[in-house]
Amino acid sequence: MSTALAVFVVQQEFSDASWKKSAPVIVNENGATIYLSANEGENLRKVQKAGRQLDNLGIASVQLSGEGWDFERQWAFANGYTDTRSKNKLQWASNAEALSQTRNIVNWTRELINLPPADIYPESLAKRVAEKLESIAPDQVSSKVIMGDDLKQEGWMGIHTVGRASKHAPCMLVLDYNPTNNADAEVDTVLIGKGITFDSGGYSLKSSEGMLAMKCDMGGAATVAGALALAVEQGLQKRVQLVLCCAENLVDGTAYKLGDVITYKNGTTVEVVNTDAEGRLVLADGLLYAGETGAKRIIDAATLTGAAQVAVGNEYNALFSVDDELANKALSTAAAQRENLWRLPLQPWHKENTPSAFADCANSRPQKGGGSGGASNAAGFLLRFAPRDGQGWLHFDIAGAYHNSANAMWATGATALGVRTIAALLND
């Protein structure tokens, strides 16, 4: 006999007087029941909350049972029912192959972000991602890792500068998924991920509380890697390159300092006014690399700014682009994938919002959080390095990627919000 708790969804009025009407799920001798309303958006939130409640009750295994379980309802339940260490067992009601495929990749992404910083450092992040993609498509994936002083030799000064103070050498992973096996095939999309495997803030040192969750600062790298893995498993037939900009932002006598000036491969000079605004420094290298490929589209993801989280909360990711058509496509894709995404302002003049008297620009404003409009100003800094003046470029500031503590929707830790959206954009 199965030991899994049966979970049902029913489209009818809540009627059990022994439970509060606000309860997302009712548990009795027959199993657990989620009562749905006419509002499907609210239904999905309720289903996800029901998953959280069952996890909080210590239910280790469930079977989604009966009619009414479409793909999105099952996925919403799975998001809520996934505990921090991904130990819960879930049997699907339908669409088992597609849901299991998605859940396996999303759980891998979450686990990567949740790993302790002793286990996930620049080289190990690059290695884990390369091994995962190679295991999915061994004949279509090739990769190289540029490490340490080789970054400086090749002109990738942002990554080298940020990571040079750590005993774990900084690196850039360049992974090529080429299903055509034609070396001259055009690159459709370059994915770029911020891979700061631990962020102390550098000399602009974070507080202990602010540093505690900074193992998640490689969430952008994990998100784009997970998105590519999912897209490949779903049958991606376009050439895509993945660029992870990996470093630990630590402090020793060789660390970069306030007032330093970085000269990038394209000649742009950047004054460092905040060593805790390091993500944009490494992403600039990724954008310059993407420009060299001639790719039609460029998508980057990063846990870049606290300002984005202030603007949209931690149940949304923030989107920036000066390409309206592509931005609207991303928003409609996110809506179809039931992932919260909100566009924030970005105009060409945002490039001028981090001025410097000593260089072409600064990496931030010398004030807490980068001042007002900090997320847009960070995106404006990146726009300086985006090819074609930003046409074909999307920047995801993934405010919803990680939760410091559990809430009614998510367990503590990584969410992998954005993986489905970016995978769907690749396969579009």
Side-chain angles (χ1 to χ4, degrees):
M1 186 174 72
S2 174
T3 58
L5 178 73
V7 183
F8 303 87
V9 288
V10 295
Q11 195 93 36
Q12 67 183 57
E13 193 73 25
F14 176 87
S15 60
D16 191 332
S18 61
W19 288 80
K20 293 180 180 179
K21 286 193 174 183
S22 59
V25 60
I26 309 303
V27 183
N28 56 31
E29 65 275 9
N30 297 318
T33 304
I34 306 166
Y35 290 88
L36 304 180
S37 69
N39 186 326
E40 187 57 18
E42 286 304 310
N43 284 340
L44 293 177
R45 284 183 58 83
K46 188 173 186 180
V47 168
Q48 186 165 339
K49 287 179 179 180
R52 286 291 330 121
Q53 184 165 308
L54 292 177
D55 177 57
N56 288 333
L57 288 172
I59 307 298
S61 179
V62 302
Q63 164 73 65
L64 304 184
S65 303
E67 299 178 357
W69 285 109
D70 62 14
F71 185 99
E72 293 301 340
R73 289 175 183 175
Q74 291 182 86
W75 185 248
F77 183 89
N79 279 332
Y81 186 62
T82 299
D83 65 338
T84 299
R85 290 184 282 179
S86 304
K87 300 296 185 184
N88 292 344
K89 293 182 170 54
L90 173 59
Q91 299 174 51
W92 309 106
S94 61
N95 302 108
E97 183 177 354
L99 283 160
S100 293
Q101 180 186 74
T102 304
R103 193 178 193 221
N104 288 340
I105 293 297
V106 162
N107 280 353
W108 173 76
T109 305
R110 287 170 172 156
E111 289 161 8
L112 199 60
I113 298 171
N114 287 336
L115 282 169
D119 294 339
I120 198 75
Y121 45 89
E123 185 178 9
S124 73
L125 173 59
K127 183 179 179 181
R128 284 172 185 264
V129 169
E131 287 177 349
K132 182 66 172 180
L133 270 297
E134 287 165 2
S135 72
I136 295 172
D139 297 327
Q140 288 83 44
V141 171
S142 60
S143 64
K144 66 175 181 178
V145 178
I146 308 164
M147 289 191 63
D149 287 343
D150 288 343
L151 290 163
K152 190 175 182 179
Q153 290 295 321
E154 296 196 23
W156 306 123
M157 294 304 300
I159 302 171
H160 182 270
T161 299
V162 170
R164 70 190 185 205
S166 172
K167 73 172 185 178
H168 295 299
C171 68
M172 175 191 279
L173 170 68
V174 179
L175 184 144
D176 188 8
Y177 170 71
N178 188 358
T180 71
N181 289 318
N182 175 4
D184 296 324
E186 70 172 356
V187 178
D188 179 82
T189 305
V190 173
L191 299 174
I192 306 167
K194 174 187 171 184
I196 301 297
T197 57
F198 189 77
D199 182 18
S200 72
Y203 277 112
S204 304
L205 196 67
K206 294 179 183 289
S207 67
S208 179
E209 295 81 5
M211 209 184 296
L212 178 60
M214 283 300 101
K215 64 183 181 181
C216 82
D217 214 18
M218 38 65 68
T223 298
V224 289
L228 179 56
L230 181 57
V232 171
E233 290 212 336
Q234 292 171 338
L236 180 65
Q237 292 302 307
K238 293 177 283 190
R239 188 178 184 183
V240 174
Q241 293 195 355
L242 175 70
V243 180
L244 302 188
C245 306
C246 307
E248 284 185 326
N249 188 21
L250 300 180
V251 178
D252 77 356
T254 68
Y256 73 123
K257 296 174 278 295
L258 300 173
D260 279 351
V261 174
I262 304 170
T263 302
Y264 279 86
K265 196 172 185 179
N266 66 347
T268 299
T269 56
V270 176
E271 182 192 5
V272 177
V273 300
N274 183 353
T275 62
D276 197 22
E278 84 297 329
R280 64 201 74 178
L281 296 176
V282 302
L283 288 176
D285 282 339
L287 288 167
L288 290 174
Y289 173 85
E292 293 179 358
T293 70
K296 293 187 294 184
R297 296 186 301 178
I298 300 166
I299 301 172
D300 79 67
T303 50
L304 200 65
T305 66
Q309 193 172 55
V310 170
V312 302
N314 59 8
E315 288 187 358
Y316 276 79
N317 287 333
L319 175 70
F320 298 85
S321 183
V322 292
D323 187 329
D324 291 339
E325 183 178 353
L326 186 58
N328 289 333
K329 181 64 177 176
L331 292 169
S332 63
T333 300
Q337 298 297 317
R338 301 289 188 173
E339 290 194 320
N340 293 332
L341 182 66
W342 198 262
R343 190 178 182 186
L344 292 180
L346 179 62
Q347 296 293 333
W349 49 261
H350 277 105
K351 292 188 293 185
E352 309 305 324
N353 277 10
T354 54
S356 168
F358 301 96
D360 295 327
C361 66
N363 70 325
S364 184
R365 288 177 172 175
Q367 56 195 107
K368 184 175 176 59
S372 60
S376 293
N377 295 339
F381 175 88
L382 294 177
L383 182 56
R384 287 180 172 270
F385 298 88
R388 301 184 300 276
D389 296 321
Q391 291 303 302
W393 169 59
L394 295 173
H395 165 52
F396 287 77
D397 196 333
I398 49 175
Y402 190 89
H403 293 251
N404 290 336
S405 59
N407 57 34
M409 300 286 286
W410 300 95
T412 301
T415 66
L417 186 69
V419 166
R420 287 183 63 193
T421 296
I422 296 173
L425 285 169
L426 293 177
N427 268 316
D428 178 55

